[in-house]
Amino acid sequence: MSFIPVAADSDFPIQNLPYGVFSTPDNPRPRIGVAIGDQILDLSAIKHLFTGPVLAKQQDVFAKPTLNSFMGLGPAAWKEARALLQSLLAAGQARLRDDAELRGRALASQASATMHLPAAIGDYTDFYSSQQHATNIGIMFRGKENALMPNWLSLPVGYHGRASSVVVSGTPIRRPMGQMRPDNSKPPVYGPCKLLDVELEMAFFVGPGNRLGEPIPISEAHEHIFGVVLMNDWSARDIQQWEYVPLGPFLGKSFATTISPWVVPIDALAPFTVPNPKQDPRPLPYLCHDQPYTFDINLSVALKGEGMSQAATICRSNFKHMYWTMLQQLAHHSVNGCNLRPGDLLASGTISGPEPENFGCMLELSWKGTKPIELGQGQTRTFLLDGDEVIITGHCQGDGYRVGFGPCTGKVLPALVPA
């Protein structure tokens, strides 16, 4: 229990303590904080209290405008910080509880805060690690017999995304313009995307990196994973379909990717590990690990159109449906000697489960636009309309508490069509 009041359905009890970057009207400087209940604990205001063996000489990482430096310190520093924060915020600990002056400087209301990207993201990679999603997309475009590509069960397929267009939750998303070929019997056309989609994903931030040419063995991969966020990797399906052969996604994906602002530490997710999925065929040795690294995280996607009084849930899924684990993704990413750096972002790919309600994108939910998605209130969708707001949420359910991520939201703005 914390001396800060925490509602039973709060995403941010003392068992969570996710990290983020925020500013306030009275102090517009972005700074690092930890969410607790409906409050933010400003770590720049209490950095002098980090006096443990690892952090005593590293207190300035909490005065930075991003989490990159703290991420780069590694697991010993993360564990030391988490232990101190849980102690400071505990109901029975007087150090912060009874110091009214320090509390006044160190605590801010989440309602009054503006959230920023938690890290300077140097590189962003998107994987394709849900077998159900890959199978569904394969059936749509290649048929049931060729649903999975020959390499899919042997390695975590991924591509290099665009880091500059990763934005924090709440940022409006402009409908992209691009080149499409809706009629294969006619030449391509230029105009606003007509098949704008959501992708339910999660992503993790890299902690310490590796030197160029030196892979991270899978036995050490856990030491390089700082924490996890929710993600909506917005997709322009018509632009993507025309452009993706032979080099993969480009303008159909690079226009926007939204992440939730709070990075949930791996240690907060540890109580919610479940057995890893059975992988057949058995992966090559560099991808094999026995450590459970699959997490039971309940996920949902809701959509609120203009004129709707409340959002309608269109998907309920779970992170445990992933085929490839985060350890495997990171080990595979570096196996060629690629150097990862603190603050790099690695995403799961669309998270779909076995039932239709578990499908993590509108392309699947509407089955390539052939089945309207019922929203109630007289509205349906196959793909996103201008003015639609997408709300992704996720949480792990504990005994009397939940470890959540806060919302990951974005509202679609009309395309900027040339005059």
Side-chain angles (χ1 to χ4, degrees), residues 3-4 88-100 103:
F3 68 85
I4 305 288
L88 282 174
L89 291 166
Q93 172 58 257
R95 177 66 185 87
L96 182 60
R97 183 196 66 199
D98 294 349
D99 188 334
R103 277 204 329 276

Side-chain angles (χ1 to χ4, degrees), residues 170-221:
T171 304
I173 304 301
R174 180 74 62 181
R175 181 179 295 272
M177 300 287 292
Q179 187 178 134
M180 300 149 284
R181 193 180 185 187
D183 186 338
N184 289 334
S185 67
K186 296 178 181 178
V189 298
Y190 170 72
C193 160
K194 292 181 170 59
L195 307 181
L196 184 59
D197 202 354
V198 53
E199 285 191 346
L200 169 62
E201 302 198 22
M202 302 199 75
F204 68 87
F205 279 100
V206 174
N210 58 304
R211 292 179 179 173
L212 182 66
E214 299 181 6
I216 298 171
I218 198 161
S219 61
E220 299 174 11

Side-chain angles (χ1 to χ4, degrees), residues 17-20 32-34 43 50 54-55 58-64 66-83 85 118-119 206-208 223 226 263 265 342-343:
L17 302 184
Y19 296 93
I32 294 171
V34 161
L43 300 195
F50 291 92
V54 180
L55 291 172
Q58 303 284 353
Q59 293 175 352
D60 283 347
V61 299
F62 299 114
K64 306 278 189 182
T66 67
L67 282 160
N68 296 66
S69 294
F70 179 52
M71 289 172 170
L73 294 180
W78 307 340
K79 290 181 183 297
E80 189 175 293
R82 181 170 172 80
L85 291 168
V206 174
E223 299 173 4
F226 175 74
V263 187

